[in-house]
Amino acid sequence: MAECDRPGAVCQDPRFIGGDGTTLYFHGKKDQDFCLVSDSNLHINGHFIGKRNENMKRDFTWVQSIAILFDKHQLFLGALKTSTWDDSIDRLSLSFDGEPVTLPKTEGVKWQSAYVPAVSITRASDINNVIVEGNFKITAKVVPITEEDLRIHNYGITNEDCFAHLDLGFKFYSLSNEVSGVLGQTYKPGYVSRLNIGAKMPIMGGDRDFHTLSLFSPDCAVARFTGNNESSESWEMPALSCGSGIDGRGVVCKR
C-alpha cells in the first residue's frame, strides 16, 4: 500500500511529504491537472477531483489519476468513479501508450512493457493496489472517502460519489538538479521550503506555476521535460518467468 507518512507520499486531500521530509498541502482546483514532477526525462501530472467548499473559498481536492511521461511513452493510473464503495471490486484503471493494461486480480501478478521491458506494474494485493517500477517506483492504492473522513473533515459528500482517489508513494532513482513540480522541487539539492512549516496545515500556492492544460501535457510553467530516450534503454531488465501476452503491449508474469 502507499506509504503516506514517508518522503514522496501524496495522499488524502492531498497531503504531500517532500523529498526533504517536510509536509505540505497543495489543493489545486477540482477537475484540473497539475504538474507533480517535471525533469528532463520524467514528467508526472495529477488530475484533481473535488468538491467546492464555500466556507473556505477553495475546493476540497484529491488526486484521481496520474500520467507518467518518459522517453516517448505515456503511462496512466487512475481511480474509476464510483458511488458506493465495495472492497471486493477493482476500481483501478491502467494504460500504457493509450492501450489498456489488464491485470488478473491476483496478488503478485506482473505486467511488463514489450517496448520498455524494465517498466512493470505489479499487483501488491488482489485489487486496487499496484506497484509501478522503472527508473522510479510508485505505489498506488485506490481508496474512497470514508465515513470517518466525512465526520472529521465535513466534506459534504453525498451518496452519488464517494470520490475514489489515489494514495501514492514515489521513489526516484535519477532526478537531475533541475527537477521541478509540486513534489519534484523538494528533491532539489539545497531546496529550502518557503512555507510556514510550523503551521497546522502548511499550504503551497502557485497554482499557475503547476497548472497544465491536460493530464498528458508537459506544459506547466515550470516544466523541464524534453523526453530524451537515453535513460530507459540502460535500465536493467529483471529476471522473470513470463507467460503469454495480454492487453497493453506487454506480458504478464507471476512471482
Side-chain angles (χ1 to χ4, degrees), residues 51 81-85 150 156-164:
K51 184 176 178 61
K81 183 176 180 179
T82 183
S83 57
T84 303
W85 184 260
L150 293 175
I157 290 173
T158 66
N159 292 332
E160 296 176 359
D161 192 344
C162 71
F163 286 86

Side-chain angles (χ1 to χ4, degrees), residues 43-254:
H43 187 97
I44 303 173
N45 286 335
H47 179 72
F48 285 45
I49 56 172
K51 184 176 178 61
R52 186 66 177 175
N53 181 348
E54 298 299 339
N55 294 329
M56 299 178 68
K57 296 182 179 180
R58 68 165 177 84
D59 298 331
F60 288 126
T61 53
W62 300 271
V63 178
Q64 180 266 340
S65 58
I66 59 172
I68 306 159
L69 283 62
F70 59 93
D71 299 348
K72 305 302 179 184
H73 301 291
Q74 300 177 342
L75 183 60
F76 169 85
L77 290 82
L80 297 173
K81 183 176 180 179
T82 183
S83 57
T84 303
W85 184 260
D86 185 332
D87 285 332
S88 66
I89 298 176
D90 192 37
R91 306 303 299 170
L92 187 65
S93 176
L94 305 165
S95 71
F96 183 75
D97 288 345
E99 295 195 5
V101 172
T102 304
L103 281 174
K105 298 174 184 178
T106 304
E107 181 178 352
V109 166
K110 175 180 286 190
W111 172 91
Q112 272 186 288
S113 165
Y115 297 115
V116 191
V119 174
S120 66
I121 305 173
T122 305
R123 282 204 185 269
S125 59
D126 289 350
I127 57 173
N128 291 321
N129 197 354
V130 294
I131 300 170
V132 183
E133 293 183 276
N135 207 12
F136 46 78
K137 180 178 180 180
I138 302 172
T139 57
K141 183 177 183 180
V142 181
V143 295
I145 301 301
T146 65
E147 292 294 332
E148 182 70 4
D149 294 330
L150 293 175
R151 185 186 66 79
I152 295 174
H153 301 288
N154 192 27
Y155 289 136
I157 290 173
T158 66
N159 292 332
E160 296 176 359
D161 192 344
C162 71
F163 286 86
H165 59 281
L166 299 176
D167 277 350
L168 298 155
F170 294 91
K171 289 185 180 180
F172 306 106
Y173 302 133
S174 62
L175 294 177
S176 77
N177 293 343
E178 301 303 315
V179 64
S180 192
V182 178
L183 178 65
Q185 64 185 337
T186 67
Y187 287 83
K188 284 184 177 179
Y191 171 78
V192 177
S193 174
R194 294 176 293 177
L195 302 179
N196 179 6
I197 302 303
K200 183 178 180 181
M201 182 181 283
I203 297 175
M204 177 178 289
D207 288 14
R208 292 183 180 179
D209 289 338
F210 305 117
H211 182 262
T212 183
L213 292 178
S214 72
L215 188 60
F216 292 98
S217 298
D219 61 359
C220 61
V222 298
R224 303 287 187 266
F225 185 72
T226 56
N228 67 72
N229 57 11
E230 297 175 1
S231 59
S232 68
E233 291 178 354
S234 64
W235 297 351
E236 292 185 7
M237 179 177 174
L240 293 167
S241 175
C242 303
S244 59
I246 201 167
D247 292 349
R249 295 182 182 176
V251 295
V252 171
C253 315
K254 292 187 178 182

